[in-house]
Amino acid sequence: MRKFSKVLAVVLAVILVASAFAGCGKKAESEKTYIIYSDNSFAPFEYLDKGSNAYVGIDMDILAAIAEDQGFKYEMHNEGFDASMGAVQSGQADAMIAGMTITDERKETFDFADGYYDDGQILVVKTDSKIASEADLKDKNVAIKISTMGAEYAESIKDKIGFKTSSYEGSPEMYQAVATGNADACFEDRSVVQYAILNEKLELKTVGDVINPSQYGFAVKKGTNAELIEMFNKGLANIKANGKYDEILAKYGG
């Protein structure tokens, strides 16, 4: 009987130790800090606030609100849109939020959370330009921002219409090319360029209707970080329900 008691005590001790290690493992997972990448110049979604020297915007605030709601930690890197896509694809980043349009083609490489913002592209020209439609782009030079939907759309129609393209890393450089006459037009997300025209007093105007209306999405490398997608979806639903989402959009004029 005494021998059985000793054996039982040893077994219980092993179970307790195993449980302790299991608990530690669970705690370590819950305290994981996710690496998230974003664009560095895509107002009003992400841009450098000169006063605070910090990146602010709709994407920054939505992610912060969702992380607070769901209780996860993250480290933000504002490295540019193309760099963000590359970081997620290579595994350097866990996710990206950068005004990224959800498309079937991108779904082959990324898993997306629920769409969090509706937008689309639009044709942009200099204020005094006579360009009134895509047909007027014949023999013209169209500026494009690398890896964006605007660039993809321009490339898809340039041979049919007969224009050439010039590539730029960021939206400000693309806008400057059009405003100074180095390019005749560009395609950009409607809400982004309208925000820039209004707040930065750019000598630009939009032409025609929105092209390819779609949604922005929070993205991870396909087949990874399913728990992060789930938390984003739950948090997004919660901040929409409690009014925080509308508060964020109103803050940036949305």
Side-chain angles (χ1 to χ4, degrees):
M1 186 69 176
R2 185 175 297 174
K3 184 176 181 181
F4 175 77
S5 297
K6 288 182 178 180
V7 172
L8 180 61
V10 171
V11 172
L12 289 173
V14 171
I15 292 173
L16 287 172
V17 170
S19 298
F21 275 108
C24 288
K26 187 175 182 180
K27 184 178 181 181
E29 179 63 25
S30 67
E31 291 182 352
K32 175 179 178 178
T33 298
Y34 293 97
I35 304 299
I36 300 178
Y37 270 56
S38 186
D39 206 339
N40 53 16
S41 184
F42 198 59
F45 293 90
E46 43 267 331
Y47 60 96
L48 184 64
D49 176 60
K50 295 180 180 179
S52 63
N53 199 35
Y55 283 95
V56 299
I58 293 172
D59 285 350
M60 302 295 96
D61 286 10
I62 284 178
L63 182 60
I66 289 174
E68 181 179 2
D69 181 85
Q70 292 294 298
F72 66 84
K73 300 176 183 178
Y74 67 93
E75 180 181 306
M76 178 61 69
H77 295 257
N78 292 82
E79 300 291 344
F81 187 80
D82 195 45
S84 295
M85 292 181 69
V88 174
Q89 290 172 316
S90 68
Q92 183 179 347
D94 294 301
M96 67 178 286
I97 182 168
M100 184 180 186
T101 302
I102 301 172
T103 67
D104 289 338
E105 182 180 357
R106 285 174 175 168
K107 285 180 180 178
E108 296 176 3
T109 308
F110 301 92
D111 286 332
F112 286 93
D114 295 337
Y116 65 87
Y117 191 87
D118 297 319
D119 208 354
Q121 291 73 55
I122 198 164
L123 179 60
V124 183
V125 298
K126 195 173 180 180
T127 306
D128 59 0
S129 174
K130 295 181 180 180
I131 294 173
S133 70
E134 292 178 2
D136 296 330
L137 295 176
K138 182 175 174 59
D139 298 326
K140 298 293 193 294
N141 177 28
V142 176
I144 59 174
K145 180 180 174 181
I146 297 172
S147 297
T148 63
M149 289 303 299
E152 184 176 316
Y153 182 74
E155 294 291 352
S156 74
I157 64 171
K158 73 175 186 178
D159 290 337
K160 178 181 177 181
I161 295 176
F163 61 80
K164 65 178 182 178
T165 58
S166 300
S167 300
Y168 295 86
E169 287 287 340
S171 293
E173 294 85 356
M174 182 173 66
Y175 300 156
Q176 183 68 10
V178 178
T180 58
N182 289 327
D184 299 289
C186 69
F187 288 97
E188 177 66 298
D189 290 13
R190 173 195 53 81
S191 59
V192 174
V193 72
Q194 287 183 344
Y195 180 90
I197 291 171
L198 178 64
N199 290 277
E200 299 173 26
K201 312 301 181 186
L202 300 179
E203 295 293 320
L204 302 174
K205 64 181 179 180
T206 59
V207 176
D209 299 323
V210 170
I211 305 157
N212 298 327
S214 51
Q215 290 188 309
Y216 289 167
F218 176 83
V220 302
K221 184 178 180 180
K222 195 169 184 66
T224 69
N225 290 305
E227 78 288 347
L228 188 52
I229 292 292
E230 183 179 1
M231 287 190 291
F232 188 94
N233 286 342
K234 288 180 179 178
L236 180 61
N238 288 344
I239 66 170
K240 283 186 173 182
N242 64 26
K244 182 65 177 179
Y245 176 85
D246 289 335
E247 181 184 316
I248 291 170
L249 295 191
K251 176 180 176 182
Y252 295 98

